[in-house]
Amino acid sequence: MISTKKLITYITFFVLIQSGLYAQVNNIAPNIIPAVHQWQAGSGSFIINAATVFKFKPSVSTQKTVAIFLEDLAALQGKERQSGLQAKRGKNDIIIKIKPQRHLTQLQRESYHLEIKPDKIIIKAMDEAGVFYATRTLLQLIEQSADKQSIPCYIISDIPAYPFRGFMLDVGRKFFPISQLKDYICRMSWYKMNQLQLHLNDQAFHGQHYAAFRVESKTYPQLTATDGFYTQQEIKDLIQYATDRGINIIPEIDAPAHAMSILDIAPELKNEKLQDGQLDVLNPKTTAIMEKIFDEFVLLFPSPYFHIGTDEYRFKKATTTEDRKAFAAGFCNYINHFNRYIGAKGKKVMIWSGYNEMPGFTPIDSNIMIDMWLGNNAKEEIKAGHQVVQSTDGWLYIVPGTNYYGVDNKFLYEKWAPNDFGPNQQLNPGEPDLLGAKLHVWNDLGPMGFTYHETADEVAVALPVMAEKLWGNKMSPSFDEFIKRVDGLKNVPKVNDTRLLNASKNSDPIVDVDFKENTLPDAVNKQLIKPLAGYESKSVLALDQHDFVRLNLPADELEQPWTLSFRVKKTDTRDTTTVLFESPYGTIFLNLKDKKSGKTGLGIARTVGYKEYAGEGEDFYRQVFNSIVPVNKWTQITLTGGHNNCTLYIDGKEIESVEKQFVCPLKTIGSSCGHLSASSFLTNIKVFGRILKRDEIMTLYLNAKLLVD
């Protein structure tokens, strides 16, 4: 394998120097993420416009790359796509030159050389992959120009440091629609990431029985998830979409642990000596069924890699030592069997690390690729002949909504290196069997975890951080400086990060309902509007146990940052759990009982009504505040939601703040899911797409007090 340094030198000598340097007008490095390896500033700019013509040797792949470039350019410019393919002579051309060579490494395939002159742009590469990455660099330069068409003149020679630059998304425990997967593909390609791992089956944690297998199975139709799945044709289309953007999709079917969805259709594979969701590897039927499953899906995914999971195979406490050793041997035999079975179909098999912690360890095949989520033996794995990917859980795991794991982006950018697996596990720089690293999103909460926008926010900075560290040229001296660069490149073409509710940062509320005009978004429930006793000109919403009102907004909830304020008078003397506001991702309760402490108070949770998908008693899914709303007295409730923060105000005064992140539920006032609504009067309901300041919250209280008191 040619080293990165040698290849850059090769490209620079034979291409950059021979092309001639332009008069340097400044010493400002191009803001590209990931940072380019070598650059030379020129004078002037290339203006891309309707007269620009792409010139290249006829090729389906190159034509696709050009078409994607033009689509993305139009998205950045807010214009209709230009054809850019007409054949005519003239200046202002973008010329693509591919000089293919035999036996290219992945790094060589992805390298490119870019010459930007005032009258033309020349892209030189040894493979189509390099051409595509050159277009990403051009688009990032365009995005930062005021007119979205000026490209400053540079000569750039670029190449990644690692061939495996990955991102994993857990779609097994939380279904992501195809549109969302395409958004992640666009984000990845923008930052020159190249491996998307889809964790296709799993079960949610924390006491709930929720399991799903996300790809349509024609061999076992009952295996296919009923609450969200991908048809095989959708998978094929998605693979093509990703391939056109330089991204390989790695399928992961996780077994013999994390396999509750398989046990749901084949309960005979269960063994009482194993923890829930574990297949009995000593049962021959396990091998037979898994062979049929792999037969179907190995053929569906053209990826050179196929991930078979094999993490966290666990026994029950009462299992004897002899039984543990037998299961451990069977587990390693399972790994070897499917390595050879799937390998015979032309795939490189990947597994998670940790198998060697089993009692009575049985060696596994040395050609298996190890996904190192436990990095405490990286050196030993390489010594045993394995290729490895850096996936250390403490550094590279995002678990949205929980209080464990989490990525420290500042640490990753300033101190972490892909070859560092922890104490005494630093690999030599340039270790050829370290292929790269991978960022992960695990949806342990299941369907009721973070919304799509919340998850995207969690990834928004971590993904470019990983991209720059894996491309191998850390340009910014600090994380704060890096963030400034990221901010200039946030507008990823064809990715919709806009919240559906108008979350303007001005003083105007998104929702403003006081009922005094006898109006309500849900016309069906106008009968719930009652005159306020003693105030003939004022009205309130009168909820009883089975009443609810649909707000009919563009979205059912608002993600952070948000403020919800309302005036409420409780009319029921009981402390029964009742719903004030509800949505698919959250509920606000007038009364919620904390089953650990026994206390009851105003509460908020990631749940639909009383159904807690994430299990009973998990305190990062819900919060019972130390506050009981009084009976027959008007009370001003204000809640603010920020990143890992939720604060309660009563009558304008801060009562309690917690480090938990919730959505503002806005599908209904009261519960539409058959749960009890809060028997109460409500008015002056306001929702803001920002966190209000304390003085603003006090002003809301004082103004509302004048309305009804």
Side-chain angles (χ1 to χ4, degrees), residues 640-654:
T640 64
H643 180 71
N644 290 331
N645 179 269
C646 186
T647 303
L648 169 67
Y649 296 80
I650 293 182
D651 292 341
K653 298 178 181 179
E654 181 176 335

Side-chain angles (χ1 to χ4, degrees), residues 9 18-19 23 41 47 70 100 119 212 220 249-250 364 378 384 409 418 452 477 500 546 548 585 589 617-618 678:
T9 301
Q18 291 182 9
S19 66
I47 307 300
L70 292 171
D119 62 339
Y220 295 106
I249 293 182
I250 302 171
I364 66 167
N409 292 311
Y452 303 128
L500 296 177
H546 303 292
F548 67 90
Y585 282 92
F589 300 89
E618 295 293 348

Side-chain angles (χ1 to χ4, degrees), residues 599 601-604 623-627 639 646-648 656 658:
K599 71 177 180 180
L602 188 79
I604 185 170
Q623 175 65 33
V624 178
F625 291 102
N626 290 311
S627 178
L639 285 164
C646 186
T647 303
L648 169 67
E656 189 175 355
V658 294

Side-chain angles (χ1 to χ4, degrees), residues 21 27 91 156 161 210 233 254 258 270 321 331 337 365 376 453 507 509 512 561 663 684-685 705:
L21 299 178
N27 210 16
K91 296 183 179 180
I156 293 170
Y210 178 85
Q233 186 58 52
D254 200 357
H258 298 268
K270 184 177 177 64
T321 300
F331 176 69
H337 172 79
D365 297 339
N376 56 355
H453 286 111
S507 60
D512 190 352
V663 298
N684 207 47
I685 301 170
K705 182 178 174 64

